[in-house]
Amino acid sequence: MVDIERLANSGALKTKVYIPGKSKQEVKCELGLSKVTKMASNESAIGVSVRAEEAYHEISGLLHIYPDPVSRDLREKLARLLSCSPGNITMGNGADGVIYNLGMAVIGEGDEAIIPETTFPLYETIVKIMRGKPVKTGMDGFRIDLDAMRRAITGKTKIIYLCNPNNPTGDAVEKKEIHDFIASVPEEVLVVIDEAYIDFIAPEEDPCSVTLFTSGRDNLFILRTFSKIFGLAGARIGYGICHEDLVSLIHRIKPPFNVSIIAEHVAAAALDDHQFMARTVDEIRREKELYYRILDQLGLEYVTSHTNFILVDTGLDAKQVFEEILQEGIIVRPCSGYGLPTCIRVTIGTHEENLLFLDTLKHLVSRHKKN
Ligand SMILES: Cc1ncc(COP(=O)(O)O)c(C=O)c1O
């Protein structure tokens, strides 16, 4: 018998399994339903650009070849778009892969990592695996409390994780606040700004932090993904923007071929389709307006979203709400595990999916009012 306690990296023993949203197939089998709608994992309801699809078919003749270990072509293309050097970019197997690579490269035993109480769970996971110490800071309602994060900095702080816009709240910190925050963080502390959802913020709000980095803030690590706006969650590709020495360090420890030849090609093609991106942002924005209107009518609290999902406070037990909505064939995310016991997170779907969800919620609310 394997003694797993003895065998394990003690950091791994401290982690919990990541629980993804249930799959449609799972729910179809469990509940014997023929149609199930998934609105739980913030995937794109709009799908994939035709250009990415074409690139996917074009690459089929090269599947027997290893990919470029450091995705030179794609990094050059991204560097042109972001006005930085390819040496400032590291690619990964999704933003998740980048979070792991960065954690492996920088976090050591006992290093402190500041993480807001309600945010994307993977930061805490990698800190624990590396036997670092997650230091959780309180929220200001549904907002990330930057003052609390600032106050938590000690001589042992190695890294700070700031998800902007934040998952699961959908709220975003304004650029000026981020600016002031970064200016107040000691230069030896690395600030990770996870911008997985940045493209859903109105461009006039000029939200992205890349200009902060290119104007000289070396202690930034900006994280991006192709899973959301580009609809490439299944391809698994994301990237980080940071100082070239940190890129070199990450490239020493990352798995050599961590980005598939398919992912690199479809991502490069997706970057060219500006119309598709604009359409996605437009449609999501329009659908969010529909949500706000109906949620206001239902008298439910929600967070105005800068992402492709909405956090709704149902005022009821989120797990029960999740189960009741599931019975109708719709998968949403209960946020009890995020410390929000009455909130659910709903990914914006197609117009029909959104109408179906809102109608289901309407019935659920009126049922509970009667009881
Ligand atoms: C805030 C945030 N960061 C990172 C990720 C991971 O993205 P990827 O699919 O690129 O691994 C997600 C996925 O939902 C996310 O919400």
Side-chain angles (χ1 to χ4, degrees):
M1 273 282 276
V2 173
D3 179 353
I4 206 70
E5 299 280 329
R6 184 176 170 278
L7 189 66
N9 158 3
S10 61
L13 280 180
K14 292 202 176 105
T15 63
K16 287 193 214 122
V17 171
Y18 176 77
I19 303 178
K22 285 193 176 212
S23 74
K24 286 187 184 188
Q25 201 47 40
E26 243 178 302
V27 176
K28 277 183 185 171
C29 292
E30 271 175 27
L31 300 178
L33 296 170
S34 58
K35 184 167 179 287
V36 169
T37 305
K38 188 176 175 209
M39 306 173 88
S41 298
N42 306 337
E43 290 144 336
S44 173
I46 319 297
V48 177
S49 148
V50 174
R51 292 202 195 195
E53 264 174 14
E54 284 167 359
Y56 171 71
H57 292 296
E58 279 163 22
I59 202 65
S60 62
L62 289 179
L63 291 182
H64 58 298
I65 306 288
Y66 278 114
D68 172 0
V70 289
S71 313
R72 276 185 197 81
D73 291 348
L74 181 54
R75 284 163 68 219
E76 274 171 21
K77 191 165 196 173
L78 284 167
R80 279 195 298 276
L81 286 172
L82 298 162
S83 305
C84 63
S85 146
N88 295 126
I89 299 174
T90 176
M91 306 301 306
N93 188 263
D96 288 348
V98 182
I99 292 170
Y100 268 57
N101 291 343
L102 173 66
M104 285 193 287
V106 306
I107 300 169
E109 188 155 7
D111 287 342
E112 292 181 4
I114 299 177
I115 306 173
E117 189 64 46
T118 304
T119 196
F120 190 56
L122 222 65
Y123 317 138
E124 186 173 347
T125 305
I126 187 65
V127 171
K128 284 182 171 167
I129 293 172
M130 300 309 297
R131 295 182 237 170
K133 184 177 166 210
V135 177
K136 299 291 207 70
T137 54
M139 301 288 289
D140 174 11
F142 291 118
R143 301 218 85 192
I144 285 180
D145 187 342
L146 291 176
D147 284 335
M149 293 175 81
R150 200 181 281 117
R151 286 196 302 274
I153 297 171
T154 71
K156 287 189 181 163
T157 306
K158 179 65 86 62
I159 192 164
I160 296 176
Y161 292 96
L162 174 61
C163 187
N164 197 51
N166 191 25
N167 180 5
T169 59
D171 184 49
V173 176
E174 287 78 28
K175 192 166 189 174
K176 164 96 177 60
E177 283 182 74
I178 295 200
H179 216 287
D180 294 348
F181 177 69
I182 308 272
S184 72
V185 171
E187 276 176 19
E188 62 275 14
V189 175
L190 186 70
V191 182
V192 178
I193 308 185
D194 184 342
E195 296 189 341
Y197 300 94
I198 200 73
D199 300 293
F200 296 104
I201 298 193
E204 58 274 19
E205 289 180 34
D206 185 23
C208 97
S209 304
V210 177
T211 48
L212 272 179
F213 170 71
T214 48
S215 63
R217 291 303 310 202
D218 282 349
N219 59 335
L220 284 185
F221 188 99
I222 299 154
L223 189 65
R224 298 281 182 85
T225 178
F226 283 89
S227 295
K228 308 300 173 186
I229 188 88
F230 296 107
L232 290 171
R236 309 305 304 129
I237 181 160
Y239 59 99
I241 306 153
C242 62
H243 192 277
E244 58 191 27
D245 290 348
L246 183 50
V247 170
S248 301
L249 179 69
I250 290 170
H251 287 188
R252 277 154 70 173
I253 57 91
K254 78 173 183 66
F257 303 108
N258 59 328
V259 174
S260 79
I261 206 162
I262 303 170
E264 189 185 350
H265 276 73
V266 295
L271 283 175
D272 291 332
D273 199 341
H274 304 287
Q275 268 186 352
F276 174 82
M277 279 179 74
R279 205 186 91 215
T280 302
V281 172
D282 245 34
E283 284 194 31
I284 297 290
R285 196 172 301 157
R286 224 181 17 251
E287 291 302 308
K288 284 194 286 196
E289 293 302 325
L290 170 74
Y291 272 75
Y292 300 153
R293 222 175 33 250
I294 308 274
L295 292 169
D296 284 339
Q297 283 169 13
L298 294 176
L300 293 181
E301 208 185 316
Y302 56 86
V303 181
T304 304
S305 166
H306 297 277
T307 63
N308 67 341
F309 59 83
I310 296 188
L311 186 83
V312 182
D313 190 348
T314 63
L316 302 162
D317 176 49
K319 283 189 193 147
Q320 191 188 339
V321 170
F322 161 76
E323 285 298 339
E324 287 184 35
I325 293 176
L326 193 66
Q327 295 303 315
E328 304 301 320
I330 304 171
I331 316 169
V332 295
R333 181 65 72 104
C335 292
S336 327
Y338 290 100
L340 301 170
T342 57
C343 294
I344 56 170
R345 192 193 67 194
V346 189
T347 305
I348 308 297
T350 62
H351 185 60
E352 290 68 32
E353 288 170 343
N354 297 326
L355 289 175
L356 179 71
F357 166 76
L358 288 165
D359 194 49
T360 305
L361 187 66
K362 210 184 280 184
H363 283 100
L364 182 145
V365 169
S366 85
R367 225 173 25 246
H368 281 269
K369 267 193 188 143
K370 278 186 207 141
N371 291 341

